Amino acid sequence: MSQSDEMPETEIRQKLTPEQYRIAREGGTEPAFTGAYYAHKAPGRYRCVVCGAELFRSGDKYDSGSGWPSYTAPASDGAVSEHRDVSHGMTRTEVRCGRCQSHLGHVFPDGPAPTGLRYCINSAVLEFEPE
């Protein structure tokens, strides 16, 4: 699939469920422990629901206890982009798809080795591709 900047926003809205659109394109979040992938353990790749870009790999996924899928690193350099987020009265680092800039979640500096990072991602914006 092509980048979402090449896909009209009306087409993206038609492609996604209302919940996926709210999260990916409006910066929303899903409730903890409700997403399809928070406890998912199968080997494979997690792709962007909007543009299909590979974002994360199962080998970097771990149970953070947060209720959202958590990863220690993105699949590759440039797979995700990071942006300062000062919403909700706090400063966080937002994570977006590196290709289409859809909102994915946030990254925190409290993850395990080797990176010390916790990419906390909404299941609704991911598609799983089994190995």
Side-chain angles (χ1 to χ4, degrees):
M1 179 172 305
S2 63
Q3 296 181 17
S4 74
D5 60 350
E6 296 172 7
M7 182 188 304
E9 199 65 24
T10 54
E11 193 175 320
I12 293 171
R13 189 180 285 275
Q14 290 173 349
K15 173 184 167 52
L16 303 179
T17 67
E19 178 75 350
Q20 288 172 322
Y21 188 87
R22 184 182 68 78
I23 294 169
R25 306 309 281 176
E26 297 174 346
T29 192
E30 63 199 9
F33 303 102
T34 63
Y37 300 123
Y38 85 89
H40 192 251
K41 297 186 186 321
R45 295 178 165 90
Y46 295 87
R47 296 186 174 278
C48 177
V49 73
V50 175
C51 72
E54 182 181 359
L55 301 171
F56 299 96
R57 295 182 180 149
S58 59
D60 296 312
K61 189 173 187 295
Y62 73 102
D63 182 4
S64 69
S66 69
W68 287 276
S70 297
Y71 307 86
T72 57
S76 62
D77 288 344
V80 301
S81 62
E82 297 180 6
H83 307 268
R84 183 182 164 139
D85 177 0
V86 294
S87 64
H88 306 292
M90 58 187 126
T91 301
R92 301 178 290 174
T93 303
E94 177 190 14
V95 177
R96 296 181 195 163
C97 173
R99 182 187 292 167
C100 72
Q101 295 301 302
S102 289
H103 172 77
L104 304 173
H106 293 86
V107 62
F108 302 96
D110 61 3
T115 65
L117 298 173
R118 173 175 52 101
Y119 287 84
C120 191
I121 307 299
N122 290 285
S123 290
V125 294
L126 300 174
E127 288 182 334
F128 181 71
E129 178 185 319
E131 237 175 47

